[in-house]
Amino acid sequence: TYNDEGNIYSYNIQTKQQIIVSDDVHNNYSYDPQVFGDYVVWYGYDGSKNNIYLNDLETGISEKVSTGLDNAHNPKIYGRKIIYTDTSSSLVSDIYLYDIDTKEQIKIVEGIESYIKTDFYGSSVVWTSEYGGEMSIRLYDLKTQEIKNIGYTNSTQSNVSIHNNKIVWMEEKGSEYGPYNNIHMYDLGTNNEYQITSNTKVENNPIVYGDTIVWEKNTGSGIFLYMKKVYTVPDSPINPTVEGDKETPEFDIDWENPYDPSGMYGAWY
């Protein structure tokens, strides 16, 4: 799925058919499409507020799923459940869950004092939010209805992604040379945190799928994509020292996309 000129399109790789999925809901602008199976979700602006919409690619039917919210955005879908965020004008955010089968909307997390980014897999909802002046990672378990902290919060954490039992994010930390970003991973199976990269470059926007992590790196001459496969987790997780710093195992980088003189950084196949 993709966005073009305010509409959401779906392209079937097997049939090579392109269709508009947001045209029949009469919202003016559509953003941030997400797909799972035959379902596509997005948020759209109707001229007065943002709403969350759902399209069933099998039936071709679209519907509005958010109710009573003014700024619903950032939808994610897994299975037959959708999560999304409603952020007020004072930048206080709540996270909602919508069940496709029961058509019920439930507030699962409330009163987060910042504009947040979420991700969703299985029964785990993760988000980045500001606490005590720093961005950090939280996880909500739909089964236990409990919230837990992810990782150690002695630095700014953002751009979170989750798949299976792995959570990745970008972590910013200062040094004598200025701030720098590294990619971190948390294993829900072992409850251990690992630092995937270790340098003074700007590394950002990680995404995890299975055992594969990809991210961007700004080398100063351009933005490149990197990939790391974490088949086995190192024996040494990150542990905080007395001073609050982190000790971390070393990871090798499996792949880096080559420099393209045309300027098409980040293109990979």
Side-chain angles (χ1 to χ4, degrees), residues 25 27 39-44 46 49-56 61-69 72-77 80-85 96-107:
V25 294
N27 52 306
Y39 292 113
V40 181
V41 295
W42 69 94
Y43 79 90
D46 64 6
K49 58 184 178 181
N50 290 332
N51 295 302
I52 305 299
Y53 296 89
L54 169 70
N55 176 272
D56 186 332
I61 297 175
S62 297
E63 60 180 316
K64 181 169 72 74
V65 301
S66 58
T67 56
L69 307 179
H73 59 99
N74 192 26
K76 304 291 181 182
I77 182 170
R80 300 181 66 81
K81 291 181 171 58
I82 307 167
I83 64 162
Y84 42 90
T85 304
Y96 288 82
L97 172 74
Y98 180 84
D99 190 305
I100 295 175
D101 293 321
T102 65
K103 300 187 180 301
E104 183 180 12
Q105 174 182 274
I106 304 172
K107 184 189 295 184

Side-chain angles (χ1 to χ4, degrees), residues 78 121-122 124 162-167 188 208-211:
Y78 183 82
Y121 184 87
S124 298
I162 182 173
H163 190 263
N164 287 338
N165 64 339
K166 293 180 176 63
I167 303 171
L188 292 172
V208 61
Y209 187 90
D211 293 319

Side-chain angles (χ1 to χ4, degrees), residues 156-173:
T156 297
Q157 303 166 329
S158 60
N159 296 346
V160 64
S161 172
I162 182 173
H163 190 263
N164 287 338
N165 64 339
K166 293 180 176 63
I167 303 171
V168 297
W169 66 89
M170 181 275 289
E171 184 155 317
E172 180 181 330
K173 196 171 184 179

Side-chain angles (χ1 to χ4, degrees), residues 132-174:
E134 292 185 341
M135 298 296 290
S136 56
I137 309 295
R138 298 292 189 271
L139 179 145
Y140 179 85
D141 190 316
L142 294 175
K143 295 179 179 178
T144 65
Q145 299 182 5
E146 294 178 344
I147 297 176
K148 67 180 294 185
N149 298 333
I150 298 296
Y152 302 104
T153 57
N154 64 336
S155 55
T156 297
Q157 303 166 329
S158 60
N159 296 346
V160 64
S161 172
I162 182 173
H163 190 263
N164 287 338
N165 64 339
K166 293 180 176 63
I167 303 171
V168 297
W169 66 89
M170 181 275 289
E171 184 155 317
E172 180 181 330
K173 196 171 184 179

